[in-house]
């Protein structure tokens, strides 16, 4: 009988070991990068508002709190329809999945279009001082995330109508759902800090 | 590790919690002014952090099952570090591999200091583990046990999990120093392994000092 240890020369053998499961590590790295990205803009926001003491919103401008509030309600509702869509396919309810994804997509689209309309009527531009710059950067950054989420939702919806998901196989909806909820959480933070507080 | 975005359902709950968190802060600010809002923010943040740390500590590890393998084989996974060359461990392996078509995989975790681990300076730790492993495999070969070996992660539990992904073990043998001299026992490695893996686990205590004296 023979015994052997893997003989090796040169750099250490590539180790498949990891202290964190690969999928969780991927999601953690994604969250960390997003936190740093939004964190940079929020740091600028707090610097402008707290350190420099610029009034918020800077007179004579006003923020459309009510319209943004309605928009917030729409976006939060879209998370509920997203959750409903996933629960539906888990129970084998394909019509529920299709309706849930379609409603989520439409509400996301309404949110984005309302935000675009808000930009055209808000009365200030990104070059109107630090206040305007930060406002557009934070809401624009979030809008970009919504746009990415809508693209994912569009593909998910098309796939759902083509019969791609099943109670056993719905990973695509799960991942898209996680992203959509994350985008909603970021909007809750943006809306609370920029519009309400 | 607690991760609010691990699944859609958890992400949805995280969203609801975020609405409640920011809603409470905004309401406090509207009713009581900036300082009330700040107070609620600090209090809620402390509660959330406290809950998160507590929940993280008590989170049950996921049970890990090994890959299936051919019937009629007996596969033994041995996790040992400094005790890898001990007579007691060798006897335990020999006893289990008798009257069976055995396959033995010996994994020696590359133990390292925390600073060296976080700076990825693990060449020395792996080289030392490799040296111990080769010595042990040679001793096993001398008594007729066919075994192969590999150097594993510095965390023995992670090393077991990694090995189980490619080696469908029927039994895991964890070899440690006696109580009081074993860092693994102090950290509860054997208990944690029993919680985490579905494979039967045998704990073998190797007293190298006693073996040297005798």
């Amino acid at each position: 009988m023979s015994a052997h240890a893997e003989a090796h020369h040169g750099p250490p053998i590539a180790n498949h070991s990891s202290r964190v499961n690969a999928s969780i590590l991927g999601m953690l790295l994604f969250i960390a990068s997003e936190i740093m990205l939004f964190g940079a803009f929020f740091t600028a926001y707090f610097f402008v508002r707290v350190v420099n003491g610029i009034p918020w919103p800077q007179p004579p401008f006003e923020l459309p709190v009510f319209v943004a509030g309605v928009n917030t309600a729409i976006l939060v509702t879209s998370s509920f329809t997203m959750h409903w869509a996933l629960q539906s396919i888990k129970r084998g309810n394909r019509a529920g999945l299709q309706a849930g994804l379609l409603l989520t997509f439409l509400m996301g689209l309404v949110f984005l279009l309302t935000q675009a309309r808000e930009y055209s009527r808000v009365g200030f531009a990104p070059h109107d001082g630090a206040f305007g710059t930060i406002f557009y950067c934070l809401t624009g950054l979030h809008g970009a995330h919504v746009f990415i989420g809508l693209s994912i939702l569009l593909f998910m919806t098309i796939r759902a109508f083509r019969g791609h998901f099943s109670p056993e196989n719905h990973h695509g909806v799960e991942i898209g759902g996680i992203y959509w909820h994350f985008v909603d959480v970021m909007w809750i933070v943006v809306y609370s800090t920029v519009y309400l507080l | 590790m607690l991760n609010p975005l691990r699944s859609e359902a958890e992400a949805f709950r995280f969203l609801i919690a975020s609405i409640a968190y920011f809603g409470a802060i905004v309401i406090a600010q509207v009713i009581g002014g900036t300082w009330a809002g700040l107070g609620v923010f600090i209090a809620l943040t402390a509660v959330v952090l406290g809950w998160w740390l507590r929940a993280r500590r008590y989170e049950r590890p996921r049970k890990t099952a090994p890959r299936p393998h051919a019937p009629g084989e007996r596969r033994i996974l041995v996790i040992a570090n400094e005790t890898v060359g001990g007579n007691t461990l060798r006897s335990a392996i020999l006893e289990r591999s008798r009257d069976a078509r055995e396959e033995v995989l010996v994994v020696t975790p590359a133990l390292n200091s925390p600073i060296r681990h976080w700076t990825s300076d693990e060449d020395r730790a792996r080289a030392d583990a490799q040296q111990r492993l080769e010595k042990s495999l040679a001793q096993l070969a001398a008594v007729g046990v066919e075994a192969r070996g590999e150097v594993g992660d510095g965390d023995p539990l992670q090393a077991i999990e990694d090995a189980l992904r490619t080696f469908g073990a029927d039994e895991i043998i964890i070899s440690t120093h006696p109580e009081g001299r074993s860092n693994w026992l102090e950290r509860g490695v054997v208990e944690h392994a029993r919680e985490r893996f579905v494979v039967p686990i045998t704990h073998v205590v190797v007293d190298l000092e006693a073996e040297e004296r005798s």
Side-chain angles (χ1 to χ4, degrees):
Chain A
M1 294 201 182
S2 67
H4 69 278
E6 269 94 66
H8 179 70
H9 299 286
I13 302 163
N15 192 3
H16 57 84
S17 171
S18 167
R19 283 163 191 277
V20 186
N21 182 285
S23 58
I24 293 176
L25 181 65
M27 187 53 80
L28 284 177
L29 288 174
F30 168 71
I31 295 168
S33 68
E34 288 290 318
I35 287 172
M36 283 190 273
L37 183 62
F38 273 97
F41 286 92
F42 273 110
T43 304
Y45 161 77
F46 283 110
F47 188 83
V48 166
R49 190 170 171 183
V50 179
V51 180
N52 278 6
I54 290 175
W56 194 274
Q58 197 173 11
F61 305 122
E62 289 286 333
L63 291 174
V65 177
F66 178 73
V67 176
V70 173
N71 226 7
T72 304
I74 291 170
L75 200 62
V76 169
T77 309
S78 75
S79 258
F80 280 81
T81 52
M82 180 73 237
H83 186 61
W84 174 51
L86 188 66
Q87 294 306 311
S88 296
I89 193 60
K90 279 181 179 174
R91 287 192 289 265
N93 177 4
R94 186 167 297 281
L97 168 76
Q98 291 167 343
L101 287 179
L102 192 62
L103 280 171
T104 308
F105 176 80
L106 290 175
M107 280 190 272
L109 191 64
V110 168
F111 174 89
L112 209 56
L113 293 175
T114 307
Q115 197 177 32
R117 182 139 180 88
E118 181 191 319
Y119 282 172
S120 68
R121 295 185 160 204
V122 76
F124 55 88
H127 51 78
D128 288 332
F131 161 73
T133 307
I134 291 298
F135 172 81
Y136 278 98
C137 280
L138 270 173
T139 54
L141 178 67
H142 179 266
H145 279 76
V146 173
F147 179 76
I148 293 167
L150 278 177
S151 306
I152 296 169
L153 269 169
L154 181 64
F155 284 104
M156 274 160 52
T157 310
I158 292 170
R159 287 187 66 192
F161 275 91
R162 296 181 74 173
H164 277 203
F165 302 112
S166 67
E168 297 78 32
N169 180 20
H170 50 262
H171 197 60
V173 186
E174 180 97 30
I175 297 298
I178 292 173
Y179 183 80
W180 192 251
H181 295 321
F182 168 76
V183 167
D184 274 17
V185 169
M186 286 321 300
W187 177 251
I188 297 296
V189 180
V190 171
Y191 180 64
S192 301
T193 50
V194 174
Y195 288 83
L196 297 179
L197 292 174
Chain B
M1 177 179 277
L2 278 182
N3 173 5
L5 301 182
R6 193 159 43 190
S7 70
E8 190 273 341
E10 283 172 288
F12 183 67
R13 281 198 291 273
F14 183 58
L15 170 70
I16 302 297
S18 300
I19 293 170
Y21 177 84
F22 282 99
I25 294 168
V26 169
I27 289 168
Q29 201 252 6
V30 169
I31 294 171
T34 304
W35 288 107
L38 192 65
V40 171
F41 163 72
I42 292 169
L44 277 181
T45 305
V47 168
V48 169
L49 276 176
W51 169 83
W52 186 75
L53 289 171
R54 197 178 161 81
R56 192 181 167 196
R57 200 175 303 143
Y58 293 110
E59 191 185 30
R60 302 290 294 177
R62 286 177 302 127
K63 283 267 186 188
T64 305
R67 284 157 52 117
H69 60 80
E73 261 183 9
R74 181 162 183 77
R75 293 190 171 191
I76 303 164
L77 173 62
V78 180
I79 303 291
N81 195 44
E82 287 160 347
T83 60
V84 75
N87 294 330
T88 320
L89 176 62
R90 218 160 40 241
S91 305
I93 297 170
L94 198 59
E95 188 184 317
R96 277 161 179 78
S97 59
R98 201 171 288 149
D99 305 326
R101 189 154 59 87
E102 89 287 356
E103 193 177 335
V104 180
L105 174 65
V106 182
V107 174
T108 49
L111 295 190
N112 212 354
S113 72
I115 289 178
R116 284 177 183 274
H117 169 74
W118 288 111
T119 52
S120 296
D121 182 11
E122 58 173 26
D123 291 0
R124 176 75 182 271
R126 294 186 77 85
D128 289 348
Q130 183 74 31
Q131 213 173 0
R132 283 193 295 273
L133 178 65
E134 281 170 8
K135 195 177 161 190
S136 165
L137 292 178
Q139 287 169 340
L140 284 172
V143 292
V145 176
E146 186 177 347
R148 61 190 177 91
E150 59 184 50
V151 174
D153 192 278
D155 177 353
L157 293 172
Q158 188 62 55
I160 295 173
E161 188 173 325
D162 291 340
L164 286 179
R165 285 180 200 276
T166 53
F167 184 76
D170 296 297
E171 182 181 1
I172 300 171
I173 298 177
I174 301 178
S175 172
T176 68
H177 289 295
E179 188 93 44
R181 271 188 277 150
S182 168
N183 178 262
W184 286 7
L185 287 183
E186 199 176 315
R187 285 161 52 193
V189 165
V190 179
E191 287 75 24
H192 289 315
R194 287 197 171 116
E195 283 176 4
R196 190 159 152 182
F197 306 109
V198 293
V199 184
I201 290 171
T202 305
H203 176 209
V204 173
V205 177
V206 177
D207 192 341
L208 290 175
E209 289 177 13
E211 284 181 10
E212 273 176 28
R213 279 199 300 272
S214 60

